[in-house]
Amino acid sequence: MSGLSAPVAAFEGGQVVVRRQEHVRALNRWEHGAHGELVTSDGAFTPVSHRAAAAEGADPCWLQLGLTEAYHLAFVQNRLRILLAASAGDGATAGDCWVAFCQSSARFPHEYAAYQRLVSDGWRVRSGLSFGADFALYSAVGGREHASHLALVQAAATEAPLTWRALQSHVRLSHQVNKRLVLCHVGADDTQSAALNGSGGAELATALSVALLTVNGWSPARAHGEESALE
């Protein structure tokens, strides 16, 4: 899929939205990558479950894409055309789109670096917003299933490290939903951080160091089992 045959998304008000129903289906089906989140088509962007969307008589849904996956689909996989307000029908260039996304979100370059690392490691990466995380990680093989891990992105040059209290909150939530927490530490010095926002920032972002750390929470059941084994 390439060129004018690729699905079209519009970048408006910080949102990347696919409206044409055949394009929504082409991107959101599990076998096609399960990209994006289904939302109402009334402009309120209210999340819609797959069951509700498939119900008889249900209103058409739009597909809301994260900035990282939208850029990846458009300029790595060549499966999407992104229209900016001033772009022509052929879609925005990679450089123009990168600058627009950086202006919309200061975290975008670091999230993109982490996204690329996770995809290259074999994960199917989706939004983790409903879990208070940046990404939810699914196995790239097999059918639709629950995410096994949640990922948090830490931009070393621009963000303060997570406090122990904040980290414990994320670990506790991950444990409650039966998932493991992965910290993605994206390293960039001040010079690199400034250059990331330019039109050539994508190439620089993919070259950044991304360290992954899996954090295990304390489990009462597991701890009790370990104590019993010692008796």
Side-chain angles (χ1 to χ4, degrees), residues 186-213:
V186 182
D189 57 32
D190 293 340
T191 301
Q192 289 174 317
S193 294
L196 282 173
N197 295 323
S199 59
E203 184 175 353
L204 177 58
T206 55
L208 292 178
S209 170
V210 180
L212 305 181
L213 175 65

Side-chain angles (χ1 to χ4, degrees), residues 66-133:
L67 299 183
T68 50
E69 65 180 337
Y71 193 91
H72 180 81
L73 281 167
F75 304 111
V76 176
Q77 295 188 345
N78 200 28
R79 294 178 55 202
L80 184 71
R81 283 187 293 138
I82 300 175
L83 304 181
L84 303 180
S87 65
D90 290 345
T93 65
D96 287 345
C97 203
W98 182 269
V99 171
F101 285 7
C102 287
Q103 291 173 345
S104 176
S105 171
R107 302 186 81 239
F108 168 68
H110 303 88
E111 290 176 349
Y112 184 74
Y115 182 94
Q116 288 292 97
R117 166 64 191 275
L118 293 167
V119 169
S120 69
D121 282 355
W123 291 104
R124 181 170 292 188
V125 184
R126 305 193 69 217
S127 171
L129 183 61
S130 60
F131 301 106

Side-chain angles (χ1 to χ4, degrees), residues 9-12 14-18 63-67 70 80 82 101:
F11 178 59
E12 303 169 351
Q15 309 280 354
V16 180
V17 182
V18 179
L63 187 68
Q64 184 176 2
L65 297 169
L67 299 183
L80 184 71
I82 300 175
F101 285 7

Side-chain angles (χ1 to χ4, degrees), residues 96-184:
D96 287 345
C97 203
W98 182 269
V99 171
F101 285 7
C102 287
Q103 291 173 345
S104 176
S105 171
R107 302 186 81 239
F108 168 68
H110 303 88
E111 290 176 349
Y112 184 74
Y115 182 94
Q116 288 292 97
R117 166 64 191 275
L118 293 167
V119 169
S120 69
D121 282 355
W123 291 104
R124 181 170 292 188
V125 184
R126 305 193 69 217
S127 171
L129 183 61
S130 60
F131 301 106
D134 292 303
F135 303 122
L137 308 182
Y138 296 74
S139 171
V141 297
R144 184 182 292 272
E145 56 187 25
H146 295 292
S148 59
H149 293 69
L150 300 176
L152 288 177
V153 177
Q154 275 283 287
T158 60
E159 296 178 347
L162 280 174
T163 64
W164 280 111
R165 183 183 295 274
L167 179 59
Q168 180 58 29
S169 296
H170 285 292
V171 170
R172 184 180 295 275
L173 176 58
S174 300
H175 179 72
Q176 289 175 344
V177 294
N178 197 30
K179 305 183 193 311
R180 302 180 73 183
L181 182 67
V182 178
L183 298 182
C184 306

